[in-house]
């Protein structure tokens, strides 16, 4: 394979699939896409509610042990997951199509990445079921389905949001500020429309695009400071040459680890891991920002939700309905209703995202929710809050001796984040106490009515919250020399190497990051092609 590829893309996730499709449109450009996981053949990938099966299956996920605990000196028990296989996390996620707000991208303050530029990229990739508008695209590769699975309790959920002062909308991406409505999902005819389906599958027939699955890239190879290829790990390890650019698309976790294994990072970190420094870049693996989530399950007085759709005869009915019509409870994401609002930041922009659904997950004896594949048999309703603009910064770095990465989220390490956590629980209680829902609720299961003081609420949030899986910043872009990549996503200190994924985002996005990852890659492809022509 020596020298035959113009671009070697490492990682076939949301960004990698977009790049592979767009770069290979020109038959003169030779593209290689390498994915550590397998093909996306599992039927659970394509059934939207199959997410419950995927997130506990090691064939489809990367699992990262977080050793840092939630309290000083405490061992960590948290496990973060990311998608493994063609499509990456877009093949195992909840498919919520959330753009964030234009102000998110303006706040990056990076040339070429304004809210207007990203909005144009979103419109280009969307095929929205509500049709084209200033805030929606039509005819693009990703089908966006407006919330179609509705039942009496979802109407009450939205009514409660309106009673709490939020604006009702049929498209949560069409307006800014406090709003409530049904989530849209990247689902086409009842099947997941992830990056592998929307972008990679149509492109794989092109002779100038090659795809390798089941092989992990160990590192990027350099010659005189320029990336010239990659080295594959494992049995039958081999080197692949690249005549143009290597593009790392491993995501917020894997991309900084890839750079560090290749010698790009903080010299002290690299030396401790036994890696020779190619380029000293102290921010690699640092400046990580995440979303932090807290679930509040409630018991319902009556069987008004959909929990019966997921076990026993109810599940049989759901399967039959899905098989016959591609509709029903199995044909949509985990949550039907969403809301965006502000609880803590003085600028008034949304800093909290809510998810609501008519079921609950079973709880362990110590009141922790069990995995997504265990629905509570009793009627329930869940409200799930996600802090979107945390100021705490974490890190992820390689370690020597074959050890797994060192992950330090530093959750709730600032007073602002602690105040936002308490405000989140108090707001969710207010939401559930609105007249539209109050009469339906029999009990608050977590944290429970006995938890009332700010101190106790913060402790509950600190103990029971989970990662939102929306990390950014570990290979941050910027116009400053201290940034890992420049505004065109070229890695500073070397040549012929770019990073294209959520790791380059220098600030958080106020919403789910899958759609922004695709839009970012779409825009990055334009930049790569422009630079090629220059």
């Amino acid at each position: 394979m020596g020298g035959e590829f113009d671009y070697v893309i490492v990682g076939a996730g949301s960004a990698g699939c977009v790049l592979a499709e767009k770069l290979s449109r020109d038959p003169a450009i030779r593209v290689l896409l390498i994915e550590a996981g397998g093909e996306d053949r599992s039927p659970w990938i394509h059934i939207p509610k199959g997410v419950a099966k995927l997130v506990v299956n090691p064939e489809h996920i990367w699992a990262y042990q977080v050793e840092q605990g939630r309290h000083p000196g405490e061992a960590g028990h948290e496990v973060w997951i990311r998608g493994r296989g063609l499509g990456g996390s877009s093949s195992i996620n909840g498919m919520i199509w959330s753009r964030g707000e234009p102000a998110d991208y303006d706040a990056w303050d990076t040339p070429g990445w304004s809210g207007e530029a990203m909005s144009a990229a979103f419109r280009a990739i969307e095929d929205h079921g509500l049709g084209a508008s200033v805030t929606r695209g039509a005819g693009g590769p990703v089908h966006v389905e407006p919330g179609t699975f509705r039942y009496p309790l979802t109407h009450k959920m939205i009514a409660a949001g309106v009673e709490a002062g939020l604006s009702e909308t049929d498209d949560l991406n069409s307006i800014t500020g406090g709003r409530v409505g049904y989530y849209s999902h990247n689902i086409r005819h009842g099947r997941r429309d992830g990056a592998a389906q929307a972008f990679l599958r149509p492109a794989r027939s092109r002779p100038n695009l090659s795809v390798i699955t089941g092989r992990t890239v160990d590192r990027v190879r350099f010659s005189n400071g320029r990336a010239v290829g990659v080295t594959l790990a494992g049995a039958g390890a081999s080197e692949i040459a690249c005549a143009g650019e290597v593009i790392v698309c491993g995501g917020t976790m894997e991309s900084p680890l890839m750079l560090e294994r290749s010698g790009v990072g903080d010299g002290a970190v690299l030396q401790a891991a036994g890696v020779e420094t190619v380029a000293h870049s102290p921010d690699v693996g640092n400046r990580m920002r995440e979303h932090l989530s807290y679930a509040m399950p409630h018991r319902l007085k009556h069987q008004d939700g959909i929990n019966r759709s997921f076990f026993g005869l109810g599940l049989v009915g759901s399967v039959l309905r899905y098989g016959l019509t591609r509709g029903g409870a199995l044909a949509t994401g985990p949550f039907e209703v969403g809301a965006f609002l502000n609880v803590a930041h003085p600028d008034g922009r949304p800093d909290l995202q809510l998810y609501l659904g008519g079921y609950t997950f079973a709880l362990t004896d110590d009141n922790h929710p069990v995995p997504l594949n265990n629905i509570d048999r009793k009627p329930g309703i869940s409200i799930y809050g996600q802090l979107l603009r945390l100021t705490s910064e974490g890190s992820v770095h390689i370690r020597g001796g074959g050890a797994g990465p060192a992950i330090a989220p530093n959750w709730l390490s600032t007073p602002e984040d602690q105040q936002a956590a308490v405000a989140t629980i108090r707001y969710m209680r207010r939401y559930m106490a609105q007249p539209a829902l109050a009469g339906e609720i029999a009990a608050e299961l977590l944290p429970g009515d006995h938890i009332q003081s700010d101190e106790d609420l913060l402790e509950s949030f600190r103990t029971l919250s989970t990662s939102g899986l929306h990390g950014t910043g570990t290979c941050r872009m910027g116009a400053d020399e201290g940034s890992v990549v420049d505004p065109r996503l070229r890695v500073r200190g070397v040549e012929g190497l770019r990073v294209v994924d959520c790791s380059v985002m220098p600030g958080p996005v106020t919403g789910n990051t899958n759609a922004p990852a695709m839009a970012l890659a779409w825009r990055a492809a334009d930049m790569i092609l422009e630079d090629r022509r220059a």
Side-chain angles (χ1 to χ4, degrees):
M1 291 188 179
E4 64 178 299
F5 297 106
D6 297 297
Y7 297 100
V8 173
I9 302 169
V10 181
S14 298
C17 288
V18 172
L19 288 176
E21 191 282 326
K22 201 165 185 187
L23 295 179
S24 67
R25 290 182 180 183
D26 183 343
I29 296 177
R30 299 154 299 177
V31 180
L32 173 64
L33 178 65
I34 307 173
E35 168 56 38
E39 298 279 345
D40 58 334
R41 295 193 181 103
S42 169
W44 297 116
I45 291 175
H46 307 290
I47 300 171
K49 275 294 195 306
V51 58
K53 299 287 187 181
L54 298 169
V55 296
V56 295
N57 187 334
E59 292 185 8
H60 300 294
I61 62 170
W62 296 101
Y64 300 93
Q65 181 65 51
V66 180
E67 295 179 359
Q68 183 188 46
R70 295 299 180 88
H71 300 88
E74 177 186 68
H77 304 288
E78 192 172 358
V79 176
W80 292 1
I81 64 171
R82 297 294 190 272
R84 176 175 183 157
L86 295 182
S89 292
S90 78
S91 290
I92 69 163
N93 67 2
M95 299 154 289
I96 289 175
W97 192 258
S98 177
R99 288 180 166 199
E101 295 192 353
D104 298 339
Y105 309 107
D106 289 336
W108 291 357
D109 194 26
T110 303
W113 296 97
S114 65
E116 182 179 359
M118 285 295 283
S119 294
F122 281 117
R123 288 194 299 272
I125 65 176
E126 290 174 346
D127 178 31
H128 205 292
L130 293 178
S133 73
V134 175
T135 58
R136 290 190 296 270
V142 183
H143 186 72
V144 182
E145 185 70 27
T148 56
F149 182 58
R150 309 180 181 192
Y151 43 97
L153 193 58
T154 61
H155 300 308
K156 295 176 183 178
M157 295 174 193
I158 292 177
V162 174
E163 291 169 344
L166 304 177
S167 299
E168 182 177 356
T169 177
D170 61 354
D171 178 4
L172 287 165
N173 294 308
S174 66
I175 62 174
T176 59
R179 57 200 189 271
V180 64
Y182 289 98
Y183 277 123
S184 295
H185 299 86
N186 50 293
I187 294 174
R188 185 189 299 269
H189 304 309
R191 292 170 63 85
R192 178 189 297 272
D193 203 28
Q197 292 80 38
F199 295 96
L200 185 57
R201 182 162 292 152
R204 291 189 77 173
S205 61
R206 298 170 185 165
N208 60 319
L209 173 62
S210 300
V211 179
I212 296 176
T213 59
R215 296 300 302 271
T216 300
V217 173
D218 178 62
R219 61 187 176 88
V220 179
R221 295 188 297 109
F222 293 97
S223 177
N224 298 319
R226 181 174 185 85
V228 294
V230 298
T231 299
L232 302 180
S238 59
E239 295 183 347
I240 295 177
C242 178
E245 292 185 343
V246 175
I247 308 172
V248 176
C249 302
T252 297
M253 302 297 292
E254 287 297 326
S255 285
L257 298 175
M258 175 72 64
L259 293 189
E260 289 182 337
R261 291 198 303 271
S262 306
V264 179
D266 187 293
V269 172
L270 302 182
Q271 183 178 14
V275 176
E276 182 179 351
T277 300
V278 174
H280 178 60
S281 183
D283 262 6
V284 172
N286 293 324
R287 309 297 296 273
M288 179 170 67
R289 305 274 287 277
E290 250 286 12
H291 295 163
L292 190 59
S293 308
Y294 186 87
M296 289 179 63
H298 294 71
R299 180 70 62 232
L300 288 173
K301 292 179 179 178
H302 310 289
Q303 189 64 262
D304 294 330
I306 59 168
N307 59 309
R308 289 189 298 185
S309 300
F310 305 113
F311 60 86
L313 292 177
L315 178 58
V316 173
S318 295
V319 170
L320 289 174
R321 180 177 178 184
Y322 181 79
L324 293 171
T325 69
R326 288 289 189 267
L330 300 185
T332 189
F335 296 95
E336 290 79 42
V337 173
F340 295 85
L341 59 130
N342 177 280
V343 293
H345 284 70
D347 62 11
R349 287 180 50 218
D351 54 17
L352 176 64
Q353 181 176 357
L354 299 180
Y355 306 74
L356 294 98
Y359 60 91
T360 59
F361 300 116
L363 301 178
T364 63
D365 292 338
D366 58 351
N367 278 343
H368 281 72
V370 299
L372 292 177
N373 59 347
N374 196 335
I375 299 292
D376 196 337
R377 296 306 202 253
K378 297 179 181 179
I381 180 174
S382 292
I383 182 169
Y384 176 80
Q386 199 164 67
L387 285 171
L388 302 175
R389 297 170 64 191
L390 292 170
T391 57
S392 303
E393 292 188 352
S395 63
V396 54
H397 293 293
I398 59 169
R399 293 188 290 190
I407 303 170
N410 296 323
W411 294 129
L412 305 178
S413 57
T414 67
E416 296 84 359
D417 291 352
Q418 294 169 15
Q419 294 164 10
V422 173
T424 291
I425 298 178
R426 293 202 181 282
Y427 184 88
M428 288 197 288
R429 280 180 166 168
R430 177 187 163 205
Y431 194 109
M432 301 303 288
Q434 296 302 314
L437 283 176
E440 306 291 328
I441 307 299
E444 175 188 288
L445 301 180
L446 289 178
D449 292 339
H450 61 291
I451 304 295
Q452 291 293 335
S453 70
D454 284 359
E455 181 180 8
D456 288 344
L457 290 174
L458 177 59
E459 178 61 19
S460 180
F461 199 107
R462 189 185 298 279
T463 303
L464 298 178
S465 56
T466 59
S467 167
L469 309 179
H470 298 156
T472 60
T474 52
C475 297
R476 73 172 182 92
M477 74 166 91
D480 62 293
E481 291 300 318
S483 61
V484 178
V485 301
D486 69 12
R488 299 187 78 79
L489 309 188
R490 298 172 295 203
V491 176
R492 295 186 183 276
V494 296
E495 295 181 347
L497 180 63
R498 300 193 203 222
V499 178
V500 180
D501 53 42
C502 289
S503 72
V504 305
M505 297 178 178
V509 175
T510 55
N512 311 74
T513 52
N514 191 203
M518 295 183 189
L520 180 143
W522 186 272
R523 177 135 184 78
D526 287 337
M527 292 181 172
I528 293 168
L529 293 171
E530 288 169 3
D531 292 345
R532 179 181 175 85
R533 292 190 291 266

